[in-house]
Amino acid sequence: MQEISKEISSTFLSVGNQSDLGLESTLQELSLYNFSVEISCTGVEVAQFLEKNPLLPGAILVEAGKYVGMISRRRLLEFLIRPLGQELFHQPLRILYSYARTGVLLLADTTPILTAMQLALKRMPELLAEPVVVQTDLDTYKLLDMQELNIASWQIRGIETQVRYERSQAQMIQNDKMASLGRLVDGVAHEILDPVNFIWGNLTHVSSYSQDLIKLVAAYEKQLTSTSFEIIKIKQEIEFDFLEEDLTKALASIRNGAERLNKLVTGLQNFCHIDDVYPKPADLHACLDSIVLLINSSIQGEIEIVKDYGRLPLVYCFIGQLNQVFMNIISQSVDTLLDESVRQQLNPESHTAKPQIVITTKVISQEATIPEGLSSRLVSIRIADNGPEMSQQLQQQILESFSVEKRADKETSLAVSYRIVTARHGGNLNFRSTPGKGTEFEVLLPLV
């Protein structure tokens, strides 16, 4: 066998780190072949070299060191069996390549492996086995064998499946915990609601009885020509004038307290609602009101909550899970604003607006900015605060927690909320944070 031409460079295989492949792995982590030949070489010389190196998928063609194209081992063999193929094999590769030229998939080495696999599979059927040309820098090109890409892709798909499985398991555990907690709280709320209803039901009668007794005392005073010393003494001891005036106020205060407790317990029952197998129509405004009522104790008047409700129809949803979503988002805003309130107290010279959360609801129509696949009519629930802007690092962490391509070390409440809105309700959860305007979360739910 003739000695290979000096114009053909020696084979170099850059070995990747397949054992450490992840969802974000790129082509530069795979094993790539660096075998380039000048286009002035003959097909015979290249064929002889490929025969000695059976693992080489092909050759990078260059002219004066500049990339021209690629010819695969398979294409060379196909060309050899054609009529007059053997004669052309002794001609320079320039002539051979002009006949055997096919489409080449050229990708940067920073291309994700899964993206490269998708692009490779979009090629014509006769090109599916062709190697991929990978550009590692400005003037360096290498070959990636399709078998190598296939193995790496399947490995990453396995990791992705494992991530989805772990997240589904975590979600099932979370749902089970919420259901157990919901049943427990619902039982406690029911036990509280019974005596509250007893107090509420008897307040009307107590109020009526007290008014009747006061009328009776007044009637006796009118009929008696002279009041005995003993009666006068008792009225002074019990401060009858004050008692008569304050009794009505005391009963009204008891009524108000019982009403607030009734609303609180009812809101607690609504928040811990256990969802059925199928979605049911629900009043989102009642859901939001219940959550605002529950967090009033934590904000202690330091945060102003503004409700800008539009006209919403009943929305078919899993209201128990949406309660969790709205509570997670509002709690995120409350924590941010309480931290900001403490900072303002430590620095009283800073003149900033009072911490505020604005809840806006409305029905919107499909627009270009709304993700494809959603209903043409959507319910928009926006929860915005006027706190400081989120750091870029925190925003990136939130976005990564929304993506299945990232394996989170810890499941976050916003990540759970995102999957409830998207996977369970076919909607979307967006957020943005801008300097001077705070942070806004928007939940989009389709109307059926």
Side-chain angles (χ1 to χ4, degrees):
M1 184 177 292
Q2 297 179 0
E3 185 178 354
I4 200 77
S5 171
K6 294 182 180 179
E7 291 179 306
I8 302 178
S9 63
S10 60
T11 306
F12 177 76
L13 174 63
S14 58
V15 181
N17 56 339
Q18 280 197 22
S19 59
D20 298 325
L21 289 181
L23 296 176
E24 294 296 315
S25 293
T26 60
L27 297 180
Q28 59 191 352
E29 299 179 44
L30 300 181
S31 299
L32 303 175
Y33 293 92
N34 182 15
F35 173 50
S36 59
V37 296
E38 282 288 337
I39 204 166
S40 58
C41 293
T42 64
V44 173
E45 292 175 316
V46 177
Q48 289 174 345
F49 194 85
L50 292 178
E51 184 180 357
K52 290 181 178 179
N53 299 272
L55 296 180
L56 272 176
I60 298 290
L61 304 181
V62 296
E63 185 171 15
K66 300 294 184 181
Y67 170 79
V68 174
M70 180 275 297
I71 188 165
S72 67
R73 174 189 295 271
R74 177 170 170 266
R75 284 294 172 189
L76 277 175
L77 292 177
E78 287 179 353
F79 201 84
L80 183 61
I81 62 176
R82 291 181 183 179
L84 303 179
Q86 293 187 359
E87 296 180 9
L88 287 174
F89 246 60
H90 291 82
Q91 300 296 322
L93 282 176
R94 181 183 294 103
I95 299 175
L96 189 64
Y97 186 59
S98 65
Y99 286 97
R101 186 190 303 269
T102 57
V104 175
L105 179 58
L106 175 61
L107 300 174
D109 62 349
T110 55
T111 305
I113 292 175
L114 293 181
T115 302
M117 190 64 195
Q118 292 174 352
L119 295 173
L121 292 176
K122 288 181 180 179
R123 297 181 294 181
M124 293 184 293
E126 62 269 20
L127 299 179
L128 291 179
E130 291 288 286
V132 178
V133 178
V134 180
Q135 183 175 7
T136 56
D137 55 42
L138 187 60
D139 295 319
T140 305
Y141 298 83
K142 298 181 180 181
L143 287 179
L144 170 62
D145 191 6
M146 274 302 298
Q147 184 178 2
E148 177 86 9
L149 182 59
N150 273 319
I151 293 173
S153 175
W154 279 108
Q155 183 178 344
I156 294 175
R157 288 297 183 190
I159 296 173
E160 185 179 26
T161 302
Q162 179 66 20
V163 171
R164 291 182 183 275
Y165 172 76
E166 290 175 358
R167 286 189 172 179
S168 65
Q169 288 294 103
Q171 185 63 45
M172 289 174 61
I173 294 172
Q174 178 70 14
N175 291 342
D176 186 59
K177 287 181 179 178
M178 290 299 296
S180 300
L181 180 62
R183 285 189 289 269
L184 177 63
V185 174
D186 184 66
V188 174
H190 183 74
E191 291 299 321
I192 296 175
L193 202 55
D194 279 347
V196 169
N197 289 334
F198 175 78
I199 296 171
W200 181 264
N202 285 283
L203 267 177
T204 303
H205 303 298
V206 173
S207 179
S208 177
Y209 298 159
S210 63
Q211 293 299 323
D212 291 341
L213 289 174
I214 291 174
K215 288 180 182 178
L216 179 61
V217 171
Y220 270 111
E221 286 185 340
K222 286 183 180 180
Q223 293 297 325
L224 293 175
T225 54
S226 61
T227 305
S228 67
F229 174 77
E230 184 178 357
I231 294 176
I232 294 174
K233 183 179 178 181
I234 292 175
K235 290 180 67 176
Q236 290 175 347
E237 289 177 352
I238 66 173
E239 298 181 346
F240 180 78
D241 294 337
F242 173 78
L243 184 150
E244 183 180 10
E245 178 183 354
D246 194 57
L247 182 60
T248 303
K249 295 180 180 179
L251 290 172
S253 179
I254 295 173
R255 182 185 297 276
N256 182 54
E259 183 178 3
R260 289 180 59 189
L261 187 57
N262 183 65
K263 288 182 178 179
L264 180 63
V265 175
T266 303
L268 197 59
Q269 286 182 315
N270 291 336
F271 177 74
C272 294
H273 175 82
I274 301 174
D275 291 316
D276 296 322
V277 177
Y278 301 102
K280 289 188 175 181
D283 183 357
L284 295 185
H285 288 161
C287 163
L288 291 166
D289 289 340
S290 299
I291 294 172
V292 171
L293 188 63
L294 292 175
I295 66 169
N296 271 334
S297 60
S298 63
I299 62 178
Q300 300 175 351
E302 295 184 16
I303 301 174
E304 180 185 6
I305 297 183
V306 179
K307 301 175 185 177
D308 184 11
Y309 291 168
R311 296 184 61 182
L312 295 186
L314 296 179
V315 179
Y316 277 83
C317 61
F318 298 98
I319 190 61
Q321 295 183 25
L322 284 185
N323 277 330
Q324 184 182 357
V325 171
F326 296 139
M327 177 62 85
N328 290 340
I329 295 174
I330 293 176
S331 297
Q332 173 93 10
S333 297
V334 167
D335 292 342
T336 302
L337 292 177
L338 287 179
D339 291 343
E340 180 65 12
S341 177
V342 171
R343 189 188 66 81
Q344 291 181 19
Q345 291 175 6
L346 296 176
N347 186 18
E349 297 180 357
S350 60
H351 301 286
T352 54
K354 181 178 180 179
Q356 184 182 80
I357 297 175
V358 180
I359 305 175
T360 307
T361 64
K362 61 182 177 179
V363 176
I364 61 177
S365 299
Q366 178 85 340
E367 298 175 356
T369 56
I370 296 175
E372 295 182 1
L374 296 183
S375 171
S376 58
R377 295 179 69 236
L378 305 168
V379 170
S380 169
I381 304 97
R382 294 188 178 184
I383 301 172
D385 63 63
N386 60 347
E389 179 193 11
M390 281 187 185
S391 65
Q392 291 297 322
Q393 182 181 4
L394 180 56
Q395 293 186 47
Q396 184 63 28
Q397 289 176 354
I398 293 175
L399 289 175
E400 289 179 356
S401 71
F402 289 173
S403 173
V404 72
E405 297 178 353
K406 291 288 184 180
R407 186 195 292 263
D409 295 331
K410 182 180 179 182
E411 188 79 327
T412 64
S413 60
L414 289 178
V416 172
S417 301
Y418 179 81
R419 283 189 285 280
I420 289 175
V421 174
T422 56
R424 293 289 286 170
H425 293 85
N428 203 24
L429 174 60
N430 303 317
F431 85 96
R432 57 177 171 270
S433 186
T434 52
K437 295 184 179 180
T439 303
E440 178 183 273
F441 287 88
E442 182 180 26
V443 177
L444 294 173
L445 299 173
L447 281 175
V448 294

